[in-house]
Amino acid sequence: VYISETVILYRQLISTSYLSGDQTQVFSSQNVGRRLQEQLLARPRLEKVIEEFKLYPKIRAKFGDIQAVDRMRKDVQFRIGAGDTFHISYKGYTPDIAKEVTAKLAESLIAQEQKGRRRAANATVDFLKTEEIQGKDELKQRELELAVFLAKHPEFAQEQVAGIGPQGTVGAAVRA
């Protein structure tokens, strides 16, 4: 039995706490690690790798793909390393298979993570565009309300133009 291992360095470019405004959301290697592990050991991913490399032919022939996936889960190890690193290893019957399967698992996990990041980035851009439009609309509404107010109360209009009241301070018209 041969074991091949690879290390993935995970960097979170923009903290989700900045985007959501929730400062309680802190990057956690444990949380990310659990999510990545679930993705790595997901049946569809393992089935593709089993099919591509023709792994566990006897188990597949006798018991089917589900049992082959369960067997592969025993041969795949995922562990959280120091800092932002994650380790993926695979036990294979030849050095080449062990290396290739490990590389394929890492590549597919990285590709899925990048895809998820792109979706999240696009959703964030869409959200910010919507917020910008709503902010501009609200600003127009408030400016309209201010214009209506100034038309009804012209004593404040002079303050708005000069930036200060007749007695040299903001709000002088109200006190007068």
Side-chain angles (χ1 to χ4, degrees), residues 110-129:
I110 290 168
Q112 181 177 351
E113 186 65 21
Q114 287 175 333
K115 192 179 193 180
R117 283 184 176 199
R118 277 192 295 278
R119 274 195 311 266
N122 290 337
T124 300
V125 167
D126 293 344
F127 170 76
L128 292 175
K129 284 180 181 177

Side-chain angles (χ1 to χ4, degrees), residues 38-89:
E38 290 294 322
Q39 291 175 357
L40 178 69
L41 298 176
R43 181 180 297 154
R45 179 183 320 285
L46 297 182
E47 283 177 342
K48 286 178 186 176
V49 173
I50 289 169
E51 182 65 34
E52 181 177 338
F53 293 100
K54 309 289 188 242
L55 301 173
Y56 313 106
K58 292 178 184 176
I59 294 173
R60 291 176 69 200
K62 190 171 184 178
F63 301 107
D65 287 341
I66 293 174
Q67 293 300 321
V69 168
D70 288 341
R71 173 69 176 123
M72 186 170 187
R73 284 188 180 128
K74 293 176 183 175
D75 292 337
V76 173
Q77 296 295 314
F78 181 90
R79 64 183 174 84
I80 300 169
D84 301 340
T85 61
F86 303 97
H87 303 253
I88 298 172
S89 64

Side-chain angles (χ1 to χ4, degrees), residues 127-138:
F127 170 76
L128 292 175
K129 284 180 181 177
T130 302
E131 288 292 307
E132 179 185 24
I133 291 168
Q134 289 175 347
K136 285 180 179 179
D137 290 346
E138 185 178 342

